[in-house]
Amino acid sequence: MMETGGSSSVATKKATLTPKAIIYQKFGSEARYYIEEVQEPAEYGCPGLAIPHKGPSLYRCSLQLPGISVVSGTFKKKKDAEQSAAEMAIEKLGIQNSTNSLTQQEASDELVARVKYLFSNEFLPSLQPLSGHLRAALQREGDLNGLVPVSVMAICDSKLSNLCKFINPKVESNPFLVIPLIMRAAARLSGILATSEGQLWIRRQNPYPREIMESSISQPSGSPQSTLIEAVCIPCSSEKAVETVTLDVSSTGYYLDAISKKLGLTDAANVLVSRTVGKTSSETRLYFAAHQSCMLDLSSDPLTAKEAIHLEGPLNESLSKKGPLNERASYFSGHDIYGDAILASIGYTWKSKDLSYEDVSVQSYYRMLISKIPCGLYKLSREAVLMAELPLAFTTRTNWRGSYPRDILCTFCRQHRLSEPVFSTETTPIKAPSESPACGKKLRVTDSTEEEIEHEKGCARDTVARESAESAVTYQCGVKLFSKCQDLIVECFPKDSFKKQNDSIQNTSLKVLSWLNAYFRDLDMTPEKLNSTANSLEIRFCEKNFSKEFALCRSIHNVYQSETQGAKFLDENHISMPNTLPGQGVFSLNIDGPDSGVCPSNGCLLVISYSVSLVTESGYKKVLESSDEFEFEIGAGAVIPHLEAVVIQMSIGQSACFKMDMAPKEFVLAAAAVSARNLSLLSSKSCCLKYSLTLLRVTEPLEERMEQALFSPPLSKQRVEYAVKHIRESCATTLVDFGCGSGSLLDSLLNYPTTLEKIVGIDISQKSLSRAAKILHSKLSRNTDGNAPIACVKSTILYDGSVTDFDSRLCGFDIGTCLEVIEHMEEDQAFLFGDVALSSFRPKILIVSTPNYEYNVILQKANLSSQEEDPDEKTHIQSCKFRNHDHKFEWTREQFNCWATDLAAKYNYSVEFSGVGGSADIEPGFASQIAVFRRTSPPDEDEHLKDTDSAHHYKVIWEWNRPSTYSS
């Protein structure tokens, strides 16, 4: 928890117009934007790279205006290109953003001028939302003809709203403060506009010219048509349920008249209209009655700027005296609403003169309600309200499904009328560790062995030499949430660092969402528990500001929790329970179909088909939600725990059905349209949810992801650190990395001072080689001074080729490495590589690592002993899956030892066995097994170098040579 000081009254930031908005004010529809996609060169140039590299897609905008045109620069986002083009046009035309330089009196005069323009002949035919209201008002009958409700003017005209915010900044938090400001402005136009004391409407005094009326209002042929539009009534009393109402809107009528009738009002001018609710692109708003105390005395002189700022006092006081607060409607709108309210999606748009509308159902209402909760936003993004859950961790962009955490957090802030989240990232160069690369790195679940302890004692030997070494930066991200008045509510700055900036942003966003989600799940959480939860996620919050912004959450969401309390825990006697999952809330579990042997494990991507139904003892069934293909990652918490507990027992092709306790009512009603009968069932103890699913596909997890779950640091990093340690101890001057991939080992080598002068990498993936080239070029180009760790490196080359083909240019290197490569070949190719490497390439030292198949029992939480096996046929053990779907084989320790020992004996090498992850003395050994071959006799040069010119099978992809100025 954090304390905040200073005055609680913080001035709202002045409203500013974007460049596009300023251009629109001046040119309207005459401004035309044209977007062009351009292909830029790769961000990181790699001189000598033989692979054409496509850069990111960028956008350029051409803005055409009467008389001039401008072209923006290139941007990653289309909207940024448009804003840039508009800004260039503003500068070229010398347009001033007058709103920012006005005094408040000048702003009041501008407001009067804007109101005058809105009732002008030029404005009526335009395609603008407010002009739609003006045209509809002119079709009203009798005394109501031409009367325009003031409440629609500010919500439909942004310039009017911005001017009101400038005059009185508190309009931002109470939008209805615009009403007296607009009415005062209209009163200053007494010769042009008519108003009436105590009435919230404005009318043009003189009729529009006939030609303007004919061009603006189309006369319907035949009798008027009636349109029935579905809306939702939100009663003021929380004890009454929301219900559907039907608005009967005539083709020649005004839809606000239909709404006023539903609210029991005789005049649409007495209907107040909220800001948009839910998606900003929709016309969904709340409509409710203005009270008599809102009818201000307009006969007095116009307000001065100083009086305008204090205008909200009487208005708020009068509202607070009238009727009970409609908590549900207020929760949606972000400001106080009194009395019953209508939630409807109806209005006029920029696209057409016709009325735009959509039906709003009770289901729509509940979907909007759960969109105020982090997990609800995620559920809706996946269209799986009863299945999905906000994941516990952001693993990778590849495996994430649904809206990203950052986007969810931004949407959450908009839903609760908060300012946009403020993200800040910090970069930290990675210094070389003060201990040997492999020091103290062990499996989390095991203790240090004596060998490791002895190794740690010698960790300080090279400390001084490494202090200057550095590699690429890591990212840390922080985020702050502010109210619209810029009061700090929540801040989070985790210590976790990430290699990618996006990963740091997404993970920090997810921490905040997880904490907010915990609050919404337990709104009765004590302050101590809330603070403890925040601390565990490295979050600080201001209790006062937090309580102020989320004051209504408790009463709204607690209502729905209490309504379903009776059905939350079913008595086991209600439904037969032959199969249960204790502690999971799952009963009547039944799994059908033969076991295919392909089962999911942590990190797998699953695809299932499913349906969720509301069922009763009597046999009634109503399908609430279904999907033919739903994909999620197992172990990430991306689905309800009940389903995950079931699906891990299944194999591909199997089907399962189970029953579980009723979900919260708001989720059930958001999932499907529910009849009155079903609604009554939700409050009884006679129903539950039935889940039916089929496991369609399983995609194995990436090997690195599976290893990261168990090792710290990750196993891939431990392998690299092991190799780096041996390379440095060998005092080698030349190195070749067989199967270098994206260059993780070569990149790590450049972080430390070594004796290496020539570094070579080989791989068959041009995509991987391209990434390696960019990484290495960036690091080598930045460090060309004699004091850098890589001062000795004179050349680096990347080759495209197969490690089973011989190339004489790589013969006789001091050291070779082949980390986690051979298992990606067929077994016969792995044997061929061993022969070529030790008979033809003949490095002095060769380090080879490959997965220990026996360790998969731990990684996959399987059980080897439960499978039948022939002790003489260990090569056929397949009770555990391979770690990667691309692995062609994985060897046991015995198989690896036989392969390496035979090779060493055949080609005059010695071999030592070691590994990383786990311990040689504790079953099942190391997670990655390593063989270090050392040449015991010099190579026979005549045998392999007599035809060197014809033995160039590799293609140079990229080459770097140290400038001669820096050569030693």
Side-chain angles (χ1 to χ4, degrees), residues 366-566:
Y366 280 99
R367 289 174 75 87
M368 290 170 61
L369 180 64
I370 68 171
S371 72
K372 307 275 280 186
I373 308 172
C375 71
L377 284 167
Y378 182 76
K379 287 171 178 285
L380 292 172
S381 76
R382 300 233 52 200
E383 287 297 326
V385 175
L386 298 176
M387 179 66 73
E389 279 290 352
L390 181 69
L392 302 173
F394 181 83
T395 52
T396 63
R397 289 180 67 93
T398 305
N399 282 13
W400 186 272
R401 297 294 181 269
S403 297
Y404 288 111
R406 183 187 185 279
D407 298 332
I408 296 175
L409 184 60
C410 291
T411 303
F412 175 85
C413 289
R414 295 184 202 116
Q415 293 282 26
H416 288 271
R417 312 285 180 180
L418 306 178
S419 295
E420 289 289 304
V422 179
F423 292 91
S424 59
T425 55
E426 292 184 359
T427 57
T428 306
I430 304 175
K431 298 292 183 179
S434 58
E435 63 273 350
S436 293
C439 289
K441 310 305 183 186
K442 48 187 175 292
L443 190 64
R444 290 177 182 169
V445 296
T446 63
D447 297 326
S448 298
T449 63
E450 292 183 6
E451 182 180 352
E452 288 173 326
I453 294 171
E454 287 300 317
H455 187 56
E456 289 176 5
K457 292 179 180 179
C459 287
R461 295 173 185 170
D462 299 322
T463 300
V464 176
R466 295 191 193 98
E467 287 180 349
S468 62
E470 62 178 39
S471 66
V473 298
T474 59
Y475 295 91
Q476 288 180 299
C477 175
V479 64
K480 294 182 178 181
L481 306 187
F482 293 90
S483 69
K484 284 291 186 182
C485 295
Q486 299 306 300
D487 293 324
L488 181 60
I489 303 170
V490 177
E491 64 179 352
C492 176
F493 206 109
K495 297 176 183 177
D496 303 329
S497 58
F498 300 86
K499 290 183 178 180
K500 295 181 181 180
Q501 184 177 18
N502 178 68
D503 288 351
S504 67
I505 293 172
Q506 302 296 354
N507 276 278
T508 298
S509 300
L510 188 55
K511 278 180 178 284
V512 176
L513 290 170
S514 298
W515 179 70
L516 291 168
N517 213 41
Y519 170 74
F520 278 95
R521 284 184 180 278
D522 185 8
L523 289 162
D524 292 324
M525 187 185 300
T526 63
E528 293 77 17
K529 185 177 179 181
L530 185 62
N531 197 47
S532 174
T533 306
N535 289 337
S536 67
L537 294 169
E538 299 174 279
I539 290 172
R540 299 172 65 219
F541 69 102
C542 176
E543 185 176 359
K544 178 182 177 182
N545 295 338
F546 183 83
S547 299
K548 177 183 176 183
E549 294 298 328
F550 299 101
L552 286 175
C553 296
R554 180 169 300 173
S555 58
I556 299 302
H557 291 285
N558 266 354
V559 166
Y560 302 113
Q561 290 175 356
S562 62
E563 285 179 355
T564 57
Q565 196 66 38

Side-chain angles (χ1 to χ4, degrees), residues 274-348:
S274 76
R275 294 171 288 200
T276 55
V277 177
K279 294 182 179 179
T280 53
S281 58
S282 74
E283 278 298 311
T284 306
R285 302 177 188 272
L286 285 157
Y287 299 83
F288 52 99
H291 305 298
Q292 289 298 319
S293 50
C294 294
M295 315 306 180
L296 305 177
D297 181 9
L298 304 177
S299 60
S300 58
D301 295 333
L303 294 176
T304 66
K306 184 176 180 180
E307 290 170 334
I309 292 178
H310 297 287
L311 187 60
E312 80 282 351
L315 186 62
N316 275 342
E317 290 171 7
S318 62
L319 286 174
S320 63
K321 296 175 184 176
K322 187 68 177 179
L325 179 71
N326 189 328
E327 292 182 333
R328 290 177 289 190
S330 300
Y331 182 54
F332 278 118
S333 67
H335 51 73
D336 291 347
I337 291 179
Y338 295 83
D340 295 347
I342 299 290
L343 180 68
S345 181
I346 184 170
Y348 300 99

Side-chain angles (χ1 to χ4, degrees), residues 579 588-593 646-651 654-657:
N579 298 298
S588 296
L589 171 62
N590 184 36
I591 298 177
D592 292 324
V646 170
V647 80
I648 59 175
Q649 304 179 57
M650 301 170 62
S651 63
Q654 287 189 323
S655 299
C657 63

Side-chain angles (χ1 to χ4, degrees), residues 153-215:
M153 295 185 66
I155 65 168
C156 292
D157 188 75
S158 59
K159 184 169 184 180
L160 205 65
S161 176
N162 287 331
L163 287 168
C164 289
K165 290 176 184 177
F166 185 87
I167 296 170
N168 183 5
K170 293 192 176 180
V171 166
E172 181 70 53
S173 58
N174 187 352
F176 301 114
L177 294 178
V178 301
I179 293 177
L181 293 175
I182 295 174
M183 294 298 289
R184 297 287 180 174
R188 291 172 60 182
L189 298 167
S190 56
I192 300 173
L193 304 179
T195 60
S196 177
E197 183 176 344
Q199 300 297 317
L200 299 180
W201 53 257
I202 300 175
R203 177 171 58 190
R204 173 169 158 149
Q205 287 194 357
N206 298 322
Y208 289 93
R210 182 177 178 180
E211 60 272 17
I212 296 295
M213 291 289 291
E214 290 178 349
S215 63

